[in-house]
Amino acid sequence: MVNFILIAVCILAGMALKATKSIHPDAHKGINTWILYLALPAVSFKYLPKVHWTTEMLFPIIATFLTSVFCFFFMMFYSKRKGYSRRSRSTLELVSGYSNTSFLGFPLVAAFYGESLLSIAVICDQTMFFSLSTLGIIAAVRGGSKSGKVSAAFIFKRLITFPPLVGCIAALALSQFIDFTLAEPFFDKLAATVSPLALFSVGLQLKFNG
């Protein structure tokens, strides 16, 4: 129950401060920077070293890609039937096949299933980002540019410069050689800021006009 109250309070606080102009209109950018560069990598270091890898762990990874692939083919046939433009088709692919699985996903997973399963949420989130940074970028470029081409170098640069993905890989690799038990209280403090700040940021960015 506490997690659901946290979700409501943080989102409503962001909406209220934005509506009353009590906060800078670009405040969410600074909050998002903290989450991406510090809080989300800390979540990886907190949970991933404790993951017991089994064949069942392949399901959330494969399911994420299957969702994107299914939406690609579904929207291809749907758009063709409706006579939609390439831009409309790409937009439909992006909004149906991809999502922000950390800012809202992590608080909801914690609320429904408990924090112990956030390790799976981290894996799903990074798989979603990988899918978005490859298939998603291709869909966006095809719909928004005349050439419809995207370079492999651009995609690779995007992948290796995304802090949460770097943190995820680092946590998986370094935990094989380093015991992070002593650093757990530090990661706990940083990771605890993800839910309230992410939800607050969502509240600051919500728009119901139009």
Side-chain angles (χ1 to χ4, degrees):
M1 181 59 69
V2 173
N3 286 314
F4 290 109
I5 295 174
L6 177 69
I7 292 172
V9 169
C10 291
I11 291 180
L12 290 174
M15 294 174 63
L17 291 177
K18 177 184 178 181
T20 57
K21 297 182 180 180
S22 301
I23 193 169
H24 193 281
D26 290 330
H28 64 276
K29 294 181 180 179
I31 296 172
N32 292 349
T33 300
W34 170 272
I35 296 170
L36 290 174
Y37 281 83
L38 291 170
L40 286 178
V43 171
S44 293
F45 276 93
K46 177 181 178 181
Y47 292 105
L48 290 185
K50 302 176 183 178
V51 172
H52 297 289
W53 295 96
T54 64
T55 54
E56 292 179 349
M57 298 297 288
L58 292 174
F59 176 77
I61 297 174
I62 296 173
T64 303
F65 280 110
L66 286 180
T67 301
S68 302
V69 172
F70 171 79
C71 289
F72 169 81
F73 285 107
F74 179 84
M75 292 306 170
M76 179 176 67
F77 291 112
Y78 181 78
S79 298
K80 184 177 182 180
R81 182 178 179 183
K82 292 289 186 178
Y84 290 159
S85 66
R86 185 170 66 176
R87 183 183 181 91
S88 295
R89 172 187 160 183
S90 295
T91 302
L92 290 171
E93 284 180 30
L94 290 170
V95 300
S96 61
Y98 307 92
S99 62
N100 185 331
T101 49
S102 57
F103 277 36
L104 281 176
F106 287 1
L108 288 175
V109 168
F112 283 113
Y113 305 109
E115 290 193 3
S116 61
L117 292 183
L118 276 178
S119 57
I120 297 177
V122 173
I123 295 170
C124 290
D125 180 58
Q126 296 312 311
T127 306
M128 174 60 71
F129 172 74
F130 187 86
S131 181
L132 177 62
S133 295
T134 51
L135 302 176
I137 286 181
I138 293 172
V141 172
R142 282 180 176 175
S145 68
K146 294 181 179 180
S147 64
K149 296 180 180 179
V150 58
S151 67
F154 175 77
I155 293 178
F156 181 71
K157 180 181 179 182
R158 183 173 172 83
L159 287 172
I160 64 173
T161 57
F162 188 60
L165 182 60
V166 174
C168 177
I169 295 173
L172 291 172
L174 294 177
S175 61
Q176 304 300 314
F177 310 99
I178 302 174
D179 184 4
F180 288 106
T181 303
L182 293 177
E184 282 185 6
F186 172 72
F187 294 133
D188 286 344
K189 298 294 184 182
L190 287 179
T193 64
V194 171
S195 293
L197 287 181
L199 294 167
F200 182 64
S201 177
V202 169
L204 290 175
Q205 298 173 78
L206 278 180
K207 294 180 181 180
F208 295 102
N209 59 315

